[in-house]
Amino acid sequence: MTVVERRLVVTEEAGLHARPAAAFAQTAARSAAEVTVAREDGREVPARSVLSLMTLNIRCGDAIVLRASGADAESTLDALARIADPA
């Protein structure tokens, strides 16, 4: 199975905390793709878990890596990138 990867810098003012993390997790959960979020230090968590996302403490300006595999992986990463980088 092909893994699609996207690196981006979070520009959402709140980072991926509270509401943005919830929107991120809900979007990932609606997808058939398996999605993870990783920090540059290598810590990686499932994108469907709000609590796991919050443990990464992703702030505005932080670089992250999104990885997805399975059906609609590309479109899921597009939607998640819009949440993390709404500009």
Side-chain angles (χ1 to χ4, degrees):
M1 185 173 295
T2 303
V3 175
V4 180
E5 186 174 286
R6 184 163 309 159
R7 287 177 169 76
L8 58 97
V9 174
V10 176
T11 61
E12 167 58 48
E13 190 174 309
L16 287 184
H17 296 279
R19 286 190 180 133
F24 205 86
Q26 289 169 353
T27 300
R30 283 193 298 269
S31 171
E34 290 297 320
V35 185
T36 61
V37 180
R39 290 186 60 92
E40 288 187 324
D41 65 7
R43 290 184 297 158
E44 186 170 12
V45 300
R48 294 178 182 188
S49 170
V50 175
L51 292 177
S52 292
L53 288 169
M54 291 181 71
T55 65
L56 291 179
N57 195 29
I58 298 168
R59 298 177 182 188
C60 184
D62 287 350
I64 60 173
V65 178
L66 306 177
R67 291 185 183 94
S69 61
D72 72 349
E74 280 285 343
S75 61
T76 300
L77 291 188
D78 290 342
L80 294 174
R82 284 191 297 274
I83 294 169
D85 185 14

